[in-house]
Amino acid sequence: MIDVLVVDDNVQVAKINAAYVAKIEGFRVSCLAHTAAEALTALETHSVDLILLDHYLPDRTGLQLVADLRRHGLVTDVIMVTAARDIATVQAAMRHGALQYLVKPFTFAGLRSKLLGYAALHRTFAGGGQAEQSEVDRIFGALGAANAGPAELPKGHSTATADRVRTVLRSAGAPLSAQDVALQAGLSRQTAQRYLKLLERAGRVCLTLKYGETGRPEHRYQWV
């Protein structure tokens, strides 16, 4: 499980954001904070992997809080969730090491996309080991890939169906067959196969072959 600290000066907004987080598989809310001071205390007393951080806090800005964390050697991951949309603040967030930036108001789908991208990154880092250039590229692209897909679907294809297939692949810990994807997405095998081929052509899915003792090799698909 990925433990999340939700920081927002508005108590009701913090509760809503926490409820959103709780709906996403693999995430749980460790605690809530409404000031920078409360956030620091929470980090001292709770296990936290990720901070969803508002910029406008009553005692310090969110970016000042991040700077404090880094000065004290705390490398907890941060996704900014804020109404601040001026370029200077966005640039400062990048320079302070924020992994993503979500502008208020946002939808559940918008937050879910950011968190799924973070989960993929979290799994990659947990695996350790060495990284070739292709793996480095995948790591740096992971947070932006949650919304990625074919820029334009061919006639007769549904964006909603493509999203279902993509969600199944992104949440899988290993390559899946077309039948696996079909079962998890609630689709026919033929439909799943059609969308898998589409995502493969778009460069979002890697195709590998699993060879058995007899018969044709089974196609396996993995999100890249």
Side-chain angles (χ1 to χ4, degrees), residues 10-173:
N10 186 305
V11 174
Q12 190 59 33
V13 170
K15 289 180 178 179
I16 292 172
N17 291 350
Y20 277 171
V21 172
K23 290 173 63 176
I24 303 172
E25 185 177 357
F27 290 84
R28 65 186 172 197
V29 177
S30 178
C31 52
L32 306 181
H34 309 297
T35 67
E38 288 181 4
L40 287 171
T41 299
L43 289 168
E44 292 173 355
T45 57
H46 294 77
S47 173
V48 176
D49 300 300
L50 175 67
I51 307 172
L52 294 186
L53 181 60
D54 188 16
H55 182 57
Y56 297 121
L57 300 174
D59 48 349
R60 297 177 69 77
T61 68
L63 292 183
Q64 288 173 332
L65 173 60
V66 176
D68 287 344
L69 297 180
R70 301 306 182 235
R71 278 196 296 271
H72 288 87
L74 296 175
V75 293
T76 309
D77 294 324
V78 174
I79 293 179
M80 299 298 296
V81 181
T82 177
R85 59 184 67 205
D86 58 285
I87 296 300
T89 301
V90 175
Q91 182 183 42
M94 294 178 64
R95 289 176 172 173
H96 281 80
L99 294 178
Q100 262 291 5
Y101 199 105
L102 186 61
V103 177
K104 296 178 180 178
F106 58 87
T107 63
F108 169 67
L111 178 61
R112 182 176 181 275
S113 171
K114 297 292 187 290
L115 292 186
L116 288 179
Y118 176 77
L121 192 69
H122 194 267
R123 287 193 298 269
T124 298
F125 287 154
Q130 301 292 312
E132 300 296 337
Q133 184 62 53
S134 59
E135 180 72 359
V136 172
D137 292 341
R138 188 174 72 82
I139 289 171
F140 274 87
L143 283 165
N147 285 325
E152 184 176 345
L153 292 174
K155 185 177 180 180
H157 288 74
S158 161
T159 300
T161 303
D163 285 343
R164 288 165 69 181
V165 172
R166 185 163 57 248
T167 298
V168 168
L169 289 170
R170 286 187 56 80
S171 61

Side-chain angles (χ1 to χ4, degrees), residues 193-213:
Q193 185 75 58
R194 186 153 45 95
Y195 282 84
L196 287 167
K197 289 181 178 178
L198 185 66
L199 290 167
E200 182 195 356
R201 288 197 298 269
R204 306 311 308 156
V205 167
C206 176
L207 171 63
T208 58
L209 299 178
K210 180 181 179 181
Y211 290 90
E213 294 182 0

